[in-house]
Amino acid sequence: MKILITGATGKIGRQSLLQFLQHPSITSVVSLSRRHIPSESLPNSEKFKNVIVKDFSNWSQEIMEIIKDADAMFWAMGTNDASSGPNFDWPVAFQAAMLKAREAQSRTTRFRFIFCSGKFVVQNQDAWLFFLPGARKLKGRTEVVCLEFAIEHKDVWQTFVVKPGGFITPDMFGRRLLPMLMGDLVIDCDEFSAYIAELIATGKEEEGLIYNKRMVGKGRELLQTKTDRT
Ligand SMILES: NC(=O)c1ccc[n+]([C@@H]2O[C@H](COP(=O)([O-])OP(=O)(O)OC[C@H]3O[C@@H](n4cnc5c(N)ncnc54)[C@H](OP(=O)(O)O)[C@@H]3O)[C@@H](O)[C@H]2O)c1
């Protein structure tokens, strides 16, 4: 299967990309980014293609030609401020462009869209929030719009909104202690990326919002199964 990713130069996107390239069901990964990603250090780099996108609000014919036959997208681009482009406008524009491109094809499978939101994102636009109110509510609007889009186009589209807690990167000090100290507030990069690779490859999960606890538990199971096999 062919999958797409945005945000692959970031913390969450990078770890996910590494797992996607190692997943046996994924044969092609196209990263859409504003910066070049060197492929030399990537595993199975022959599966990887990097497309530089100058304007994510405009999904040009040229780019759609490269990605229109993809099966799924992981939208890991985003910021912790209230920038509308990467957090709202561009994923919404992508959905419309991809839907249009697929209408011209006779695909029998549904497109799988995974949006990386966050544990502290809030859909209620009237909620009083102590920290990062603008950013948390903006992504809450994106969650709503993406979920509504999937309902409206349910025969051809499915959406999963993942809500990770603080992402523990491989180089983080006290990496192994943090989950014990912070519990469900955080998720380890290995657990998250194992979970997200399986989700994008199989879609075997209840559609809609997916919370941190679920991803930690399922991610651990997947890693354990992998260890048992080796
Ligand atoms: N890290 C966490 O603990 C955490 C937890 C929960 C949710 N999240 C959410 O998950 C998403 C990814 O987080 P992260 O920690 O991986 O963030 P990150 O390390 O800052 O990476 C952000 C990614 O988005 C891209 N991006 C941001 N603004 C862009 C723009 N204007 N145009 C093009 N690309 C842009 C960056 O590209 P460049 O490299 O070119 O800048 C990078 O690939 C964010 O929405 C974040 O809020 C993060």
Side-chain angles (χ1 to χ4, degrees), residues 6-13 34-35 56 76-80 86-87 90 116-119 139 164-167:
T6 64
T9 53
K11 292 183 280 298
I12 289 187
R34 61 179 168 182
R35 291 193 290 131
F56 283 93
M77 180 202 290
T79 60
N80 290 329
N87 299 304
W90 303 342
C116 188
S117 182
K119 183 177 172 70
K139 280 218 188 78
F167 190 73

Side-chain angles (χ1 to χ4, degrees), residues 176-211:
R176 300 293 169 208
L177 275 177
L178 285 170
M180 285 184 253
L181 295 173
M182 303 189 74
D184 185 37
L185 293 175
V186 295
I187 185 164
D188 185 80
C189 55
D190 285 348
E191 287 156 6
F192 179 83
S193 52
Y195 176 83
I196 208 78
E198 195 61 15
L199 177 64
I200 205 163
T202 67
K204 282 186 190 154
E205 183 62 278
E206 199 174 319
E207 288 168 36
L209 300 175
I210 304 172
Y211 293 94

Side-chain angles (χ1 to χ4, degrees), residues 39-191:
S39 61
E40 299 78 46
S41 59
L42 295 175
N44 302 324
S45 59
E46 71 285 354
K47 292 186 188 179
F48 179 72
K49 186 177 174 75
N50 186 196
V51 175
I52 301 295
V53 179
K54 298 259 184 308
D55 178 4
F56 283 93
S57 65
N58 173 28
W59 294 85
S60 67
Q61 189 64 34
E62 191 190 348
I63 289 175
M64 293 316 293
E65 274 307 310
I66 302 170
I67 66 172
K68 67 181 183 189
D69 59 342
D71 301 288
M73 153 70 91
F74 179 41
W75 190 278
M77 180 202 290
T79 60
N80 290 329
D81 60 18
S83 314
S84 192
N87 299 304
F88 183 87
D89 299 339
W90 303 342
V92 170
F94 167 79
Q95 292 190 141
M98 196 63 187
L99 183 73
K100 191 167 169 224
R102 283 173 69 93
E103 275 167 3
Q105 307 165 40
S106 51
R107 300 290 295 265
T108 51
T109 52
R110 295 193 291 163
F111 188 80
R112 193 171 296 140
F113 184 68
I114 305 177
F115 178 71
C116 188
S117 182
K119 183 177 172 70
F120 300 107
V121 167
V122 169
Q123 291 185 3
N124 179 358
Q125 299 298 304
D126 298 323
W128 185 86
L129 302 176
F130 179 62
F131 68 97
L132 301 175
R136 290 164 68 195
K137 286 186 192 176
L138 177 64
K139 280 218 188 78
R141 279 176 51 215
T142 318
E143 287 188 355
V144 171
V145 170
C146 291
L147 294 170
E148 284 177 355
F149 186 89
I151 292 169
E152 196 180 335
H153 305 287
K154 63 180 186 312
D155 295 339
V156 291
W157 198 272
Q158 61 179 168
T159 292
F160 300 92
V161 173
V162 293
K163 292 172 76 67
F167 190 73
I168 303 175
T169 54
D171 55 353
M172 213 172 251
F173 178 74
R175 177 180 171 189
R176 300 293 169 208
L177 275 177
L178 285 170
M180 285 184 253
L181 295 173
M182 303 189 74
D184 185 37
L185 293 175
V186 295
I187 185 164
D188 185 80
C189 55
D190 285 348
E191 287 156 6

